[in-house]
Amino acid sequence: MDSATSDHPPLPERRERRIPLGGNADNGLKIVVVGGFGVGKTTMVRSVSDIRPLNTEEVMTQAGADVDDLSAVRGKTSTTVAFDFGRISLNEQTVLYLFGAPGQERFWFLWDRLFAGTLGAVVLVDTRRLADSWYAIDRLEQHGTPFIVARNDFGGPPHTQQQIRDALDLPEHIPLLDCDARSRESSKQVLITLVEHLHALSTSTAGRPVQETTTP
């Protein structure tokens, strides 16, 4: 699992929402959830998915003790070794396909594969370990993938949104919001915010005038 709080039992509401994909859904978007080790990526995919999510978790062993830094996630007993996959229908036409990326540095080579065909991403952060999010933001910027940032609630010291923006060097036009990855409604709001951000970007791009080039 990819959250220090993901050992909680499944929420009762999940038992009532295993719904099939509607036949009129014609807008499928690939979304990737990225972030540092143990920030809650698996938990978010699990909490919000309409289907039983696919995950590739394995029990953490002593062999990885010298590789993965567990100092900030001492209660963590398993970890994602490939990716998580889930699906959520935002409305009758729009379906999101969710991929949760592994957080450990030794699995970062998988990220470029996951980013292929991705329209947008959620960078999930733990404010106690903001530096763990820098690589995710850097890779998304290099790929030119639009993203938003969601601060998962781990009950750490309070920080203002401006402090977080400054620490991450996050421009004002990129949405930053709080969430609880264990909550379906909270995680769904994160995804809605991302879709709205993608729509706003596509609208602004479509409205730009085409610059003519002249040959000297």
Side-chain angles (χ1 to χ4, degrees):
M1 287 176 284
D2 232 341
S3 170
T5 58
S6 56
D7 289 336
H8 287 220
L11 299 178
E13 60 179 339
R14 296 185 62 195
R15 300 174 184 173
E16 303 174 0
R17 56 182 174 81
R18 303 301 182 191
I19 57 177
L21 180 62
N24 57 346
D26 56 5
N27 190 19
L29 307 177
K30 179 182 176 182
I31 302 299
V32 174
V33 183
V34 296
F37 181 43
V39 296
K41 300 181 295 295
T42 295
T43 300
M44 175 171 281
V45 173
R46 283 182 172 180
S47 70
V48 80
S49 179
D50 288 335
I51 62 174
R52 184 178 298 279
L54 166 69
N55 61 72
T56 54
E57 287 189 312
E58 295 293 341
V59 175
M60 300 182 69
T61 65
Q62 189 61 35
D66 296 331
V67 180
D68 301 319
D69 181 7
L70 302 179
S71 59
V73 286
R74 296 189 181 278
K76 193 169 177 59
T77 59
S78 59
T79 186
T80 300
V81 296
F83 62 87
D84 306 301
F85 174 76
R87 188 195 74 203
I88 178 173
S89 300
L90 291 185
N91 53 45
E92 292 183 353
Q93 287 78 35
T94 304
V95 177
L96 302 185
Y97 298 100
L98 308 176
F99 291 81
Q104 300 99 306
E105 183 176 353
R106 57 195 167 111
F107 295 127
W108 285 351
F109 70 93
L110 295 171
W111 287 23
D112 290 340
R113 297 275 184 165
L114 287 177
F115 289 166
T118 297
L119 291 184
V122 174
V123 179
L124 203 57
V125 303
D126 176 355
T127 52
R128 302 170 302 175
R129 301 178 288 127
L130 280 177
D132 292 354
S133 306
W134 292 344
Y135 180 79
I137 292 175
D138 180 66
R139 293 305 299 165
L140 289 169
E141 289 178 339
Q142 289 191 28
H143 277 265
T145 303
F147 64 92
I148 67 171
V149 175
R151 171 173 56 176
N152 197 10
D153 182 14
F154 283 90
H159 298 280
T160 67
Q161 289 205 354
Q162 190 57 52
Q163 288 173 327
I164 297 174
R165 284 190 181 277
D166 292 342
L168 296 176
D169 195 20
L170 196 67
E172 290 294 332
H173 73 274
I174 297 179
L176 168 65
L177 68 162
D178 293 327
C179 74
D180 182 343
R182 299 167 298 178
S183 165
R184 172 175 169 81
E185 288 306 314
S186 181
S187 297
K188 184 175 181 179
Q189 186 56 52
V190 171
L191 299 176
I192 290 174
T193 301
L194 174 59
V195 171
E196 291 174 344
H197 179 56
L198 295 175
H199 177 71
L201 290 176
S202 64
T203 301
S204 63
T205 301
R208 292 177 185 172
V210 178
Q211 293 183 349
E212 297 184 1
T213 58
T214 58
T215 304

